Amino acid sequence: MELPQSFVQRMRGQLGADYIRFEQALQKPAPISIRLNKSKLPGQPNLPRVPWTETGYYLPERPQFTLDPRLHAGAYYVQEASSMFLEQALRQHLDLSQSLRILDLCGAPGGKSTHIASLISPDSLLVANEVIRSRAGILAENGTKWGSGNVVVTNNDPRDFNRLPEFFDVMVVDAPCSGEGMFRKDPQAMNEWSDENVNLCAQRQQRILMDVWNALRPGGLLIYSTCTWNLAENEQNIAWLAQQENAQPLSLKLDPAWGVEATSLDGVSGYRFYPHQVRGEGFFLSVIRKAGEYEAPQRSSKKKKYKLTHAGKKEKALVNDWLLEPERFAWVQYGEVISAIPENLFEEVDELYQNMHVIYAGTEIAEVNGKKLKPLQALALSQYLNQEAFRTEDLDLESALRYLRKEDIGISGNSNDWILLQFENQSLGWAKQVGNRLNNYYPKEWRIRMELPDKLAESLELCVKSD
């Protein structure tokens, strides 16, 4: 790996005698880590733990993740270990049993969003945003697979959140950066790196922070992170914001065995991850609290106008038993789609629909087609799916992968049923049996495109398995 010369000079000054170990670490293969979805895969795998999170594990080497149906079912997420440190910021400074409104501003592809969704209470609301439309679609896909049901995916510029003043209790800003911490995983990041790009990124990060700041309530938390090591994009930016807004810097408790380096600049604490000190990639995180005391706005006595409408009684009766705990949900219809949104979040979700570009909200249950209802993919992957309401079929590995490739597969029987297809008890999606023919309803845009190897079992032997 031929590192940029000005980067080498800066890191030599930053690390001193440790620079040699740092450079040697960059020449080694990147570690592989995953984070389990405990609502779908509750067992304890026999794998080394990522120490700063309860659900992260290291794999001995990178398997063919694409060929594991459990990945497509949302049973786990492939995520870089250092970025899982977000869990510490949330656990140490929040009561996660309370109802919270959280914004993940730069959410794609979904690692931090699905992580947050696993940590917050079912009564909390997570808004996962992505400014680039194509990436917002990927974020929605990964959020749907995770199946939490209390997530709204939006596609907005940070400044758009000014329409929601003091709406959020917590903001997570994993800011677009120069990508220094990803050099060994992504050679393109190294090719695009320059001192000029670092400065441009730092300026853009400041603009993003100021654009979205008004949507954070007084007393709320901002968790800022990057995958880079320079001061301009990290300590200097967050210290600048804290000074601009008179925000309170917050610190985190560290286990020395983790190898995370604590830093400080103008009273602001930061936490750096170097590959020669931790089993992970480059990462930085800092936490500040917005000044002031939050006062909940008084509710107006005027009758509100809602953009969302409740599903009709007839449609609701047809889908009511498709979810566990149906009384927890408001059944709404937007266009031809019936969705389930936690009842206590109805007004907040409606406010998002009125002010933001919403890609996806809650759990899309069914599509109305005249008097018929078609169950949707999000229902199959929901953590609240009532499997007993449907006929289910467990597929072997080859059939599961052919289904995920949107190919024809055979199932015995002769009926006109919707069938919930599963692999090792993990729901994959729907098929419709019409006589002796089976129609594959797996989403076309999600399908596996790689060719299947001859020896499928060997391709899976390194993937996560719970005891």
Side-chain angles (χ1 to χ4, degrees):
M1 182 185 294
E2 191 69 33
L3 296 169
Q5 192 56 41
S6 60
F7 172 80
V8 170
Q9 291 174 353
R10 194 195 75 221
M11 294 306 294
R12 284 187 185 277
Q14 196 165 311
L15 292 171
D18 264 0
Y19 176 78
I20 295 175
R21 290 176 55 225
F22 167 78
E23 189 175 50
Q24 290 172 343
L26 290 182
Q27 310 301 326
K28 297 176 182 176
I32 308 299
S33 50
I34 59 170
R35 184 172 38 76
L36 301 189
N37 186 341
K38 285 296 188 180
S39 69
K40 297 186 177 186
L41 204 63
Q44 181 78 23
N46 185 24
L47 293 167
R49 294 280 301 272
V50 176
W52 40 81
T53 176
E54 294 183 359
T55 53
Y57 297 87
Y58 294 103
L59 299 185
E61 58 184 283
R62 189 177 190 89
Q64 286 277 19
F65 285 117
T66 303
L67 299 181
D68 188 347
R70 291 162 296 184
L71 174 69
H72 302 277
Y76 64 92
Y77 191 95
V78 183
Q79 185 178 9
E80 201 284 304
S82 298
S83 65
M84 299 182 200
F85 186 68
L86 170 65
E87 182 169 326
Q88 292 299 316
L90 294 168
R91 288 191 183 278
Q92 293 189 33
H93 288 293
L94 293 168
D95 181 353
L96 294 173
S97 68
Q98 298 298 306
S99 178
L100 299 166
R101 297 178 186 176
I102 300 183
L103 171 64
D104 184 8
L105 182 66
C106 311
K112 291 182 177 63
S113 291
T114 53
H115 196 176
I116 295 166
S118 291
L119 295 169
I120 59 178
S121 70
D123 292 332
S124 293
L125 172 67
L126 170 62
V127 178
N129 180 72
E130 174 55 46
V131 66
I132 301 171
R133 178 57 195 253
S134 60
R135 286 171 56 82
I138 296 169
L139 176 60
E141 176 184 339
N142 286 322
T144 300
K145 288 177 177 177
W146 207 251
S148 300
N150 56 348
V151 178
V152 177
V153 177
T154 58
N155 172 217
N156 284 88
D157 189 271
R159 70 173 68 90
D160 295 340
F161 286 92
N162 282 298
R163 302 171 199 154
L164 299 170
E166 300 182 2
F167 186 87
F168 295 101
D169 302 297
V170 183
M171 284 182 181
V172 176
V173 180
D174 186 43
C177 68
S178 59
E180 296 169 357
M182 306 302 288
F183 278 1
R184 67 174 168 178
K185 285 185 68 174
D186 181 10
Q188 186 63 25
M190 185 170 60
N191 295 336
E192 294 174 355
W193 185 93
S194 68
D195 290 318
E196 293 77 11
N197 192 37
V198 167
N199 293 330
L200 286 173
C201 286
Q203 293 168 15
R204 178 173 57 182
Q205 291 152 359
Q206 289 187 3
R207 187 165 61 250
I208 289 171
L209 290 169
M210 292 307 295
D211 281 347
V212 79
W213 184 254
N214 189 49
L216 181 64
R217 70 166 176 82
L221 292 187
L222 172 76
I223 303 172
Y224 175 80
S225 63
T226 72
C227 58
T228 197
W229 290 301
N230 65 76
L231 270 69
E233 296 181 71
N234 294 324
E235 289 92 341
Q236 290 177 8
N237 262 350
I238 204 70
W240 168 84
L241 179 64
Q243 188 174 25
Q244 285 276 114
E245 299 296 333
N246 195 28
Q248 175 192 0
L250 299 176
S251 60
L252 300 174
K253 295 178 181 178
L254 300 177
D255 184 332
W258 294 349
V260 180
E261 183 174 300
T263 70
S264 180
L265 179 69
D266 296 335
V268 172
S269 298
Y271 301 91
R272 289 172 170 273
F273 288 66
Y274 290 111
H276 63 291
Q277 294 176 335
V278 303
R279 195 175 172 187
E281 299 306 290
F283 187 66
F284 172 87
L285 182 140
S286 187
V287 189
I288 59 174
R289 188 185 301 280
K290 191 172 185 177
E293 294 290 331
Y294 178 65
E295 294 183 12
Q298 293 185 348
R299 293 188 177 273
S300 171
S301 58
K302 286 185 177 181
K303 191 172 182 180
K304 291 187 69 172
K305 291 184 179 179
Y306 294 110
K307 189 166 186 178
L308 294 175
T309 58
H310 286 83
K313 289 183 179 179
K314 186 184 296 184
E315 288 81 8
K316 178 181 176 182
L318 289 171
V319 301
N320 195 60
D321 67 341
W322 289 8
L323 288 186
L324 303 172
E325 304 176 54
E327 68 281 355
R328 288 190 62 250
F329 299 96
W331 300 85
V332 302
Q333 187 164 346
Y334 195 76
E336 297 177 341
V337 174
I338 296 175
S339 296
I341 293 168
E343 182 73 54
N344 70 302
L345 300 177
F346 176 82
E347 290 198 4
E348 287 94 331
V349 174
D350 186 82
E351 191 170 353
L352 288 164
Y353 268 96
Q354 292 190 38
N355 291 283
M356 312 301 285
H357 181 209
V358 174
I359 300 289
Y360 181 89
T363 304
E364 292 184 347
I365 302 296
E367 183 179 305
V368 181
N369 185 5
K371 295 182 179 180
K372 297 181 180 179
L373 292 177
K374 181 180 81 174
L376 294 177
Q377 182 66 17
L379 172 66
L381 300 174
S382 171
Q383 297 174 16
Y384 295 94
L385 169 68
N386 180 15
Q387 295 186 15
E388 294 182 1
F390 300 94
R391 174 186 163 190
T392 61
E393 290 284 346
D394 204 57
L395 303 177
D396 60 25
L397 176 59
E398 181 175 355
S399 296
L401 290 173
R402 295 201 181 283
Y403 170 74
L404 294 169
R405 280 174 54 83
K406 207 167 171 60
E407 296 177 358
D408 293 334
I409 58 172
I411 289 182
S412 61
N414 189 322
S415 67
N416 292 301
D417 294 338
W418 284 103
I419 304 172
L420 178 65
L421 301 181
Q422 299 179 315
F423 174 77
E424 295 189 356
N425 297 318
Q426 299 293 331
S427 296
L428 300 177
W430 303 103
K432 179 73 179 290
Q433 191 162 20
V434 182
N436 59 3
R437 189 178 80 251
L438 195 71
N439 292 335
N440 187 332
Y441 277 84
Y442 194 71
K444 181 172 65 176
E445 62 275 16
W446 291 10
R447 71 188 185 279
I448 295 175
R449 290 173 171 82
M450 73 178 291
E451 294 297 323
L452 303 184
D454 294 332
K455 298 181 179 180
L456 283 171
E458 291 181 9
S459 301
L460 267 179
E461 63 184 1
L462 291 176
C463 287
V464 58
K465 292 187 178 181
S466 57
D467 294 336

